[in-house]
Amino acid sequence: MNNKAIGNIFKGDKVIWMVFFFLCMISIVEVYSASSSLTYKSGNYMAPVIKHIFILCFGVFTMICMLKVKCKYFKIATPFMLILSFLLLIWVVIAGQATNGASRWINLVGIQFQPSELAKGAVVLAVAQILSAMQTDHGADKRAFKFILSVCSIFVFFIGIENLSTAMLLCITILCMMIIGRVPMSQIGKLLGFCFIGIAIIFTLVMVVGKDKNEMPQADNTLTEQVGKEKEEPSAFDKTFHRADTWKSRIDKFLNSKPVAPEDVDLDKDAQVAHANIAIASSNVIGKGPGNSVERDFLSQAFSDFIYAIIIEEMGIFGAFFVAFLYIILLYRAGSIANRCENNFPAFLAMGLAILLVTQALFNMLVAVGLAPVTGQPLPLISRGGTSTVINCLYVGIIL
C-alpha cells in the first residue's frame, strides 16, 4: 500500500525521474563545491548549499503539483500566462533590478523573480496550442505560422532587450516546434531568410552603437577636462540599447580569440574564460574528484554560468559526458512521451519544454568550453538559482 501511495505521488516516466534525480545530486555536490565565493561573503560554508537544497525541494513540490494537473487546464491557463508574462516583462524593462549590468529581475516580497523564465514557458504553451488547434491531414494550416509569429515576436522583443541569448534560445525552440508541428517548409524557409537579415541588422547595430569595454581608454588627461561638467542624462535610445556595449565586448572577444601563450594571458581582463580554460585543462581527463576544484575560488559565477567547467575539473571528461548524456536522455524520453500522446497539444507541449531545457543546457556547455560567446545562461537543474531552478522543475513536472 505504501509503495502504491509513493507511486501515485511520483508517477510519470520513471526514466525522466531518474535523470532528474541524477541532475539534482550533481547539482547539490557541485553547487556546494563551487560556492566558495558565497561562503566567504556569508561566513557560513553550509548556507549556500542549504538554500539551494531548499529551492530544489520546493521545485520537486511544484513538479508533483504539475503531475496532478490535467492538460486541458494548461490550455485554459495559456491566455492568462501570456498576459501575466507580458505585464511582468514591461515591468522589468521600466523598473527592473539590475544584476551584472542587466535589468532582468523583479523584487516581489523580498524574493528576486526573473520574468523571462515564466515568459518562455508561456510562449511554448501558446505555440503548442496554436499548432495543435490548426493541424490538418497535410500538416499545420498556413495561418498557424502567422498566429505564432504574432504572439512570439512581442515576447522575443521584450526578452531580447535585456537578455539577448535567452531570446535567441527561445527562437530556436519555437523554430523546432514549428518543424515538429509540420508548418509548411516554404514558410519556415522565408522565416529563416528574414531571421538571417534581422541578425545581420542587429549585429551591425551592436557593432556600430556599442563600445567595446576592453578597448575603452583608461583614465587620462581627457577625463580631467570633464571634471566639473554635469553628466548628461542618457537618452531613450541609450536606455534601450544600454546592453550593446556588453554584447559588442563579448562578440569582439569571441571573434578575435587567438592562441595566447600562458605567460601572456591577462587574468584580470579575461578572468572568466581564462579560469574556465584552466579548470578544464587541469582536470587531467579523470578529474580531481568532487569538492577538489581549485578554480572555483577564482572563477566568477562558478556556481552558475560556469558550473560546467567546475564539473569537468572535478569529474573529468567522463563526468562531463555523463551530464551531457542526461540531457540527451531527457530529450529522447520526451520524444517517446510525445509519440504516445493521443492528442496533439500535450505532444507539442512536452517536446517544446524539453527542447527549451536541452538547448539552454547545450549552450551553457558550449560557453564553458569556449565554443560560444560568454552569456548569462545557467545550466538547467544544476546551476544554483532561484526562479530558473523552480520553473525548470515545473517544466519537467509538466513533461512528466
Side-chain angles (χ1 to χ4, degrees), residues 303-337:
F303 51 83
S304 180
D305 303 349
F306 281 87
I307 198 168
Y308 193 63
I310 304 301
I311 290 173
I312 297 175
E313 183 185 9
E314 295 189 348
M315 301 173 63
I317 301 300
F318 297 105
F321 276 117
F322 179 71
V323 171
F325 186 60
L326 289 175
Y327 290 106
I328 294 172
I329 294 175
L330 175 63
L331 183 61
Y332 173 77
R333 294 304 297 181
S336 299
I337 291 172

Side-chain angles (χ1 to χ4, degrees), residues 162-218:
E162 296 294 341
N163 200 336
L164 185 61
S165 59
T166 297
M168 292 180 67
L169 291 175
L170 180 58
C171 288
I172 293 172
T173 301
I174 296 167
L175 177 63
C176 292
M177 290 183 70
M178 287 196 292
I179 294 173
I180 294 171
R182 300 187 302 167
V183 170
M185 292 307 296
S186 59
Q187 292 181 319
I188 293 178
K190 292 177 183 178
L191 175 64
L192 290 175
F194 281 113
C195 285
F196 284 126
I197 295 173
I199 290 171
I201 292 172
I202 293 173
F203 181 82
T204 303
L205 281 173
V206 169
M207 301 307 287
V208 171
V209 176
K211 298 177 182 178
D212 193 331
K213 295 178 179 179
N214 299 319
E215 297 179 357
M216 289 183 181
Q218 302 298 321

Side-chain angles (χ1 to χ4, degrees), residues 160-162 164 206 243-252:
I161 291 175
E162 296 294 341
L164 185 61
V206 169
R243 293 283 291 166
D245 295 346
T246 301
W247 295 338
K248 183 175 181 179
S249 300
R250 289 173 174 174
I251 292 171
D252 283 343

Side-chain angles (χ1 to χ4, degrees), residues 85-96:
S85 299
F86 178 73
L87 294 176
L88 290 175
L89 287 174
I90 296 292
W91 183 3
V92 81
V93 169
I94 297 173

Side-chain angles (χ1 to χ4, degrees), residues 44-357:
N44 185 338
Y45 68 93
M46 289 299 295
V49 73
I50 288 175
K51 182 179 179 181
H52 183 62
I53 292 172
F54 174 79
I55 292 172
L56 281 176
C57 290
F58 184 70
V60 172
F61 173 75
T62 64
M63 288 174 63
I64 295 172
C65 290
M66 288 300 103
L67 287 170
K68 307 296 181 181
V69 179
K70 295 182 179 179
C71 271
K72 64 180 182 180
Y73 294 116
F74 292 126
K75 285 186 176 182
I76 296 172
T78 300
F80 299 102
M81 291 290 292
L82 288 173
I83 294 171
L84 177 62
S85 299
F86 178 73
L87 294 176
L88 290 175
L89 287 174
I90 296 292
W91 183 3
V92 81
V93 169
I94 297 173
Q97 292 187 344
T99 302
N100 296 327
S103 299
R104 303 173 182 172
W105 304 88
I106 290 174
N107 199 323
L108 292 175
V109 197
I111 300 174
Q112 275 195 327
F113 178 76
Q114 199 168 359
S116 61
E117 294 294 332
L118 185 65
K120 290 189 298 183
V123 170
V124 171
L125 270 172
V127 173
Q129 192 157 338
I130 293 170
L131 288 172
S132 64
M134 307 196 73
Q135 284 294 308
T136 67
D137 294 336
H138 306 289
D141 190 286
K142 289 186 177 181
R143 293 175 297 169
F145 180 77
K146 297 178 181 179
F147 289 137
I148 291 172
L149 286 190
S150 300
V151 173
C152 297
S153 57
I154 300 171
F155 289 91
V156 168
F157 173 76
F158 282 105
I159 293 174
I161 291 175
E162 296 294 341
N163 200 336
L164 185 61
S165 59
T166 297
M168 292 180 67
L169 291 175
L170 180 58
C171 288
I172 293 172
T173 301
I174 296 167
L175 177 63
C176 292
M177 290 183 70
M178 287 196 292
I179 294 173
I180 294 171
R182 300 187 302 167
V183 170
M185 292 307 296
S186 59
Q187 292 181 319
I188 293 178
K190 292 177 183 178
L191 175 64
L192 290 175
F194 281 113
C195 285
F196 284 126
I197 295 173
I199 290 171
I201 292 172
I202 293 173
F203 181 82
T204 303
L205 281 173
V206 169
M207 301 307 287
V208 171
V209 176
K211 298 177 182 178
D212 193 331
K213 295 178 179 179
N214 299 319
E215 297 179 357
M216 289 183 181
Q218 302 298 321
D220 53 20
N221 294 334
T222 58
L223 294 180
T224 59
E225 295 175 2
Q226 298 177 0
V227 175
K229 293 184 179 180
E230 294 183 358
K231 291 183 179 180
E232 296 182 0
E233 285 293 328
S235 63
F237 181 85
D238 292 333
K239 289 180 179 179
T240 304
F241 293 97
H242 71 283
R243 293 283 291 166
D245 295 346
T246 301
W247 295 338
K248 183 175 181 179
S249 300
R250 289 173 174 174
I251 292 171
D252 283 343
K253 186 183 293 184
F254 181 73
L255 294 179
N256 299 329
S257 59
K258 298 178 182 178
V260 181
E263 62 272 13
D264 296 330
V265 173
D266 188 344
L267 291 178
D268 293 324
K269 182 179 178 182
D270 302 315
Q272 281 188 312
V273 175
H275 285 295
N277 290 338
I278 294 171
I280 294 169
S282 62
S283 67
N284 293 324
V285 180
I286 60 173
K288 298 177 180 178
N292 294 323
S293 170
V294 174
E295 294 307 310
R296 64 188 175 190
D297 297 329
F298 307 98
L299 182 56
S300 175
Q301 298 297 314
F303 51 83
S304 180
D305 303 349
F306 281 87
I307 198 168
Y308 193 63
I310 304 301
I311 290 173
I312 297 175
E313 183 185 9
E314 295 189 348
M315 301 173 63
I317 301 300
F318 297 105
F321 276 117
F322 179 71
V323 171
F325 186 60
L326 289 175
Y327 290 106
I328 294 172
I329 294 175
L330 175 63
L331 183 61
Y332 173 77
R333 294 304 297 181
S336 299
I337 291 172
N339 284 330
R340 294 197 302 268
C341 289
E342 297 179 357
N343 300 316
N344 289 322
F345 173 70
F348 292 138
L349 181 58
M351 283 306 299
L353 294 176
I355 292 169
L356 188 66
L357 291 170

